[in-house]
Each structure stands twice: as C-alpha cells, then as structure tokens.
C-alpha cells in the first residue's frame, strides 16, 4: 500500500463525514428556509384574513347601524301593519259571518222560489178549469169597477138575471147604471185556455203561434155566442151592444195579433172587446157623468134653498126691525121712569136720611143712553118699510102674511 493509498484510506472517511455534515447542514438550512417561507406565507395569509375579517366586522357594524336605523324607521310601519292585520282579521270574520248569512238568505230565496213555482203551477193548473177562469175574470172586472170609483148596488149590479126576446134566461156578469136610467151590460167570461198554454217556457215558436191562433178563434167564437144571447133585448134601456171584458191586455193583444180583423168582427156582432185599461177609461167616463148629473141636481136644489133662505132672511129682517122699535120704546119708557123717580120719589126719600131716620142713602138709577143699532141693509129696510105685506116666520118654518105691524109683533112674541 502506497502512501497515497494510505492517505486516501485515512482521509476518505473524513471527507465522507464532512460531506455528510455539509449535506445535513445544507438540508437543515433548506428546511429552515422552506419552513420560514411557509411561515411567512402563512403569516401573510393570516394577516390578509385578519384584514378581511376586520373589514367584514366593520361592514357588519355599519350594516347593524343601518339595520337599527331602518328598524327605528319601520317601527311605526310595523304597528300600522299590525293594525291592518287585526282589521283584516276582523273583516275576515265579518266576511265569514256575512257569507253564512248570505248562504242562509240564498237558501231562503231558493225555498221561496220553489214554493212560488209550485204555487204558479197550481194557479196555472187551476186556470185551466172553466169555472176558475170565469171566477178570475169576474174578480178582475170587480176590481176595475171599484178602481173606477163605482159602488156595488149603487152604480153597478152583478149577476143580474133577465129574460131575452127569445125567451132564454141571461145573466151578465155586471150591469153598469148610466144617468137617465140607462144601463150597460158587461161580460167577463173570455176564453183563455190556449193563451195560457202558449205561455210555457218549453213551448216552441211555431207552437206558440198556433196556440195564439187558437186563442183568437176561441175569442171569436165567444163573441158570436154573446151576439146570439142578445143581452140588449133583456134590458129595455141599454144600447144594442155588450161589452166583452178580457182580463189582461196581453191576452187581448195576442188575439188581435193573431187575427187583426177580430175587432171589426166583434163590432159587427155588437160586441165591444176591451181590456182593463179601456174598461177603466169607459167606467171613469160613466162615473164622471154621474158626478156631473149629481152636481146639476145639487145646483137646482141649492137654487131653491137659496131663494127660500133669501125670503126667510127678509122676513127675519122685518122681525128684527120690529124688535128694535120695541126696544127703543122700552128704553124711552125706562128713562121716563128714571126721571120721575129722581124728581118725585127720591127727593122725598132723601128727607129720611136728612132727618137721620135711616143711615143708607138711596142712589139714583142711571138712565140708559145707548139705543138699539138701527138696520142699514137695504133688503131689511125694504121689509121694515112695508109692514102691511111683511110675511111672518113661524116656529114650524111656514110663512104667513100679516096685515099690520102689531100682528107681526105678536107673531115674533109667539115665536
């Protein structure tokens, strides 16, 4: 082994150890540097996060302040919202109650409508009976007569029996009395079966037209039947016609629309077709005629009463004048009596007081200075100036003539 080899052998481990130490130192330095860099990075990150958190806290504090201010501003609004909620709750309770009441009312209306529908069907069914239709027409006729201001058994009679020229008995529904002992015959048994059938909702248009034509034909047949009865022959003081009363205007209009010549046909048969309005106008005219006739009769009676009252007033004026003259003579006699009493009697009587035989002094009576009021009316003065032709008003209301004023005075005294 050479020295070089020996020295290498000796120094080799040292180099290795040194290299290992240098490697360890370098590794430690690198680790420390790496850890320092990591720590600085973590510290920077922490500082950044701290700054961010500080900014976040500041923002949250500002937001909290803004929220407090907003809450302070919204506090009245919150109270208002609370009141609105309470009001809404009350309205909701009222709505529920009202809906319940409305539901009850609707149920009541439905029940009433059902009852009304049943009553209507019952009425419609009843009107299909001839007797019921006739009774309804008579009731309608009576209502029109009463609305026109007429009184039964005074201005009109119902169900009057009479005998026509052909020997047949007739009984019109009403006989209206006219001034001058005249009468007007009214019939109220117009047919209406086909018209009632045409009023159904389920009736088709062509069926309704057919039923209206049947209604017009039935009314035409009724007019011919009335013409055949000859009501005017059963009553002597009636015009040669009869009034056919149709209970509704719609019934008459439907018949005329289906047969426009119905009116002309009825007039040729001496039958006048009228509805409630036309009959009311006719009856009001009759009632007005009765009023004018009553006014004329009352005017004649008033004229007679006025003349009689004027005559009696004149007679009474004569009696009043005679009484005034008598009162004047009585006042003159009384005043002469007072003068004689003062001049002849009281003078002597006062001597008793002067001689102290009596204590009370006799007062003289006062004469009457006011006389009766004289008559000023010309009518009364004429009667007073003619006593020889003045009639006397007796107690029983009769008038008798007296030849002189003394007899009239005696008549006044006896009255």
């Amino acid at each position: 082994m050479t020295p070089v080899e020996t020295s290498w052998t000796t120094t080799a481990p040292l180099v290795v150890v040194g290299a290992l130490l240098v490697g360890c130192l370098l590794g430690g330095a690198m680790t420390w540097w790496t850890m320092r860099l990591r720590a600085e990075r973590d510290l920077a990150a922490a500082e950044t996060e701290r700054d961010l958190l500080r900014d976040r806290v500041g923002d949250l504090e500002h937001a909290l302040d803004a929220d407090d201010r907003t809450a302070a501003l919204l506090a009245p609004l919150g109270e208002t919202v609370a009141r609105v909620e309470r009001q809404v709750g009350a309205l909701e309770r009222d709505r529920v109650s009202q809906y319940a009441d409305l539901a009850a009312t609707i149920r009541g209306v439905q029940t009433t409508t059902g009852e009304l529908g049943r009553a209507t069907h019952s009425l419609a069914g009843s009107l299909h009976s001839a007797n019921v239709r006739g009774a309804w027409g008579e009731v309608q006729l009576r209502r029109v007569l009463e609305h026109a201001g007429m009184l039964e058994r005074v201005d009109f009679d119902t169900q009057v029996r009479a005998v026509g020229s052909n020997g047949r008995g007739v009984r019109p529904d009403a006989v209206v009395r006219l001034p001058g002992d005249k009468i007007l015959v009214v019939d109220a048994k117009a047919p209406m079966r086909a018209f009632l059938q045409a009023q159904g909702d389920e009736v088709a248009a062509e069926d309704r037209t057919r039923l209206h034509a049947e209604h017009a034909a039935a009314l035409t047949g009724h007019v011919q039947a009335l013409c055949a009865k000859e009501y005017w022959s059963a009553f002597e003081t009636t015009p040669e016609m009869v009034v056919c009363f149709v209970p509704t205007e719609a019934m008459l209009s439907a018949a005329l629309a289906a047969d426009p010549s119905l009116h002309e046909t009825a007039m040729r048969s001496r039958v006048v077709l009228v509805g409630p309005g036309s009959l009311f106008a006719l009856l009001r005219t009759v009632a007005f005629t009765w009023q004018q006739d009553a006014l004329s009769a009352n005017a004649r009676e008033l004229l007679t009463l006025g003349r009689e009252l004027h005559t009696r007033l004149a007679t009474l004026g004569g009696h009043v004048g005679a009484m005034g003259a008598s009162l004047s003579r009585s006042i003159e006699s009384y005043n002469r009596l007072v003068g004689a009493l003062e001049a002849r009697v009281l003078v002597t009587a006062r001597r008793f007081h002067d001689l102290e035989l009596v204590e009370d002094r006799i007062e003289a009576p006062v004469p009457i200075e006011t006389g009766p009021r004289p008559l000023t009316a010309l009518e009364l003065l004429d009667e007073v100036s003619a006593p020889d032709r003045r009639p006397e008003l007796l107690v029983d209301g009769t008038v008798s003539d007296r030849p002189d004023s003394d007899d009239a005075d005696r008549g006044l005294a006896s009255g």
Side-chain angles (χ1 to χ4, degrees):
M1 177 179 299
T2 62
V4 176
E5 294 179 352
T6 303
S7 58
W8 172 253
T9 304
T10 304
T11 58
L14 295 174
V15 172
V16 171
V17 171
L20 290 173
L21 290 174
V22 171
C24 290
L25 291 174
L26 291 174
M30 293 295 295
T31 300
W32 176 79
W33 179 256
T34 301
M35 293 179 63
R36 181 179 178 181
L37 291 177
R38 185 178 298 171
E40 291 179 353
R41 186 187 61 193
D42 292 341
L43 179 60
E47 290 178 350
T48 303
E49 186 176 358
R50 181 197 62 192
D51 295 337
L52 292 175
L53 289 175
R54 183 182 294 113
D55 295 338
R56 181 62 178 169
V57 169
D59 293 339
L60 290 176
E61 289 177 351
H62 289 299
L64 182 60
D65 294 338
D67 290 341
D68 292 339
R69 290 192 298 272
T70 303
L73 293 175
L74 294 179
L77 183 60
E79 297 177 357
T80 304
V81 171
R83 289 196 301 270
V84 171
E85 290 179 352
R86 290 192 296 270
Q87 185 68 21
V88 170
L91 291 176
E92 184 65 20
R93 290 191 297 271
D94 293 342
R95 183 184 63 82
V96 173
S97 176
Q98 291 172 359
Y99 278 174
D101 295 340
L102 181 60
T105 304
I106 291 176
R107 287 193 296 270
V109 170
Q110 291 175 348
T111 303
T112 305
T113 303
E115 295 176 353
L116 180 61
R118 289 190 294 271
T120 303
H121 288 299
S122 176
L123 178 61
S126 300
L127 289 177
H128 284 83
S129 172
N131 294 330
V132 175
R133 289 198 303 269
W136 181 61
E138 294 174 5
V139 170
Q140 291 291 94
L141 174 60
R142 180 180 294 273
R143 290 182 59 190
V144 174
L145 287 167
E146 292 175 351
H147 284 310
M150 294 191 168
L151 300 177
E152 187 176 5
R153 303 186 184 279
V154 176
D155 300 320
F156 71 93
D157 293 314
T158 57
Q159 304 300 328
V160 178
R161 296 180 180 272
V163 179
S165 60
N166 53 8
R168 293 177 52 186
V170 294
R171 189 177 63 178
D173 295 306
V175 173
V176 180
R177 300 187 182 277
L178 305 176
D181 295 331
K182 303 298 190 299
I183 62 174
L184 184 64
V185 179
V186 182
D187 179 85
K189 296 183 178 64
M192 61 183 75
R193 181 188 58 81
F195 176 79
L196 293 176
Q197 292 178 355
Q199 304 310 306
D201 296 335
E202 66 280 359
V203 179
E206 56 274 11
D207 293 337
R208 183 175 287 107
T209 302
R210 177 180 55 80
L211 289 173
H212 283 170
E214 293 180 2
H215 170 60
L219 191 57
T220 303
H222 181 67
V223 167
Q224 294 173 355
L226 290 178
C227 178
K229 288 182 179 180
E230 295 183 356
Y231 278 110
W232 51 85
S233 65
F235 303 95
E236 297 179 356
T237 57
T238 182
E240 293 186 359
M241 70 174 188
V242 60
V243 177
C244 179
F245 173 65
V246 182
T248 64
E249 299 288 351
M251 192 179 301
L252 181 59
S253 299
L256 292 176
D259 185 5
S261 64
L262 180 58
H263 254 317
E264 184 178 356
T265 302
M267 287 187 291
R268 284 199 304 267
S269 302
R270 301 179 184 180
V271 178
V272 179
L273 294 173
V274 296
S278 301
L279 182 61
F280 179 79
L282 176 62
L283 295 177
R284 284 298 297 173
T285 303
V286 174
F288 179 75
T289 305
W290 272 117
Q291 292 175 0
Q292 296 301 314
D293 184 73
L295 288 176
S296 299
N298 292 337
R300 289 191 296 269
E301 185 177 359
L302 286 174
L303 179 60
T304 303
L305 291 176
R307 290 175 177 175
E308 184 178 355
L309 179 61
H310 186 272
T311 303
R312 294 187 176 185
L313 285 175
T315 303
L316 182 60
H319 294 321
V320 170
M323 181 180 289
S326 298
L327 289 175
S328 298
R329 290 192 297 270
S330 299
I331 292 172
E332 292 175 358
S333 300
Y334 173 77
N335 290 335
R336 286 195 299 269
L337 176 61
V338 170
L341 180 62
E342 289 180 346
R344 300 293 183 180
V345 180
L346 293 182
V347 173
T348 304
R350 292 192 184 99
R351 296 293 300 275
F352 286 94
H353 184 272
D354 296 337
L355 295 176
E356 298 181 357
L357 296 177
V358 294
E359 295 181 358
D360 298 332
R361 186 179 183 86
I362 299 177
E363 299 294 337
V366 179
I368 298 177
E369 299 179 355
T370 303
R373 179 175 176 177
L375 297 176
T376 57
L378 296 177
E379 297 85 356
L380 301 180
L381 290 176
D382 291 340
E383 286 295 325
V384 173
S385 63
D388 55 337
R389 59 181 178 85
R390 183 176 68 250
E392 179 183 359
L393 180 63
L394 300 180
V395 178
D396 57 358
T398 61
V399 179
S400 63
D401 294 331
R402 290 287 182 167
D404 53 10
S405 60
D406 294 335
D407 293 337
D409 294 338
R410 288 194 297 271
L412 178 62
S414 62

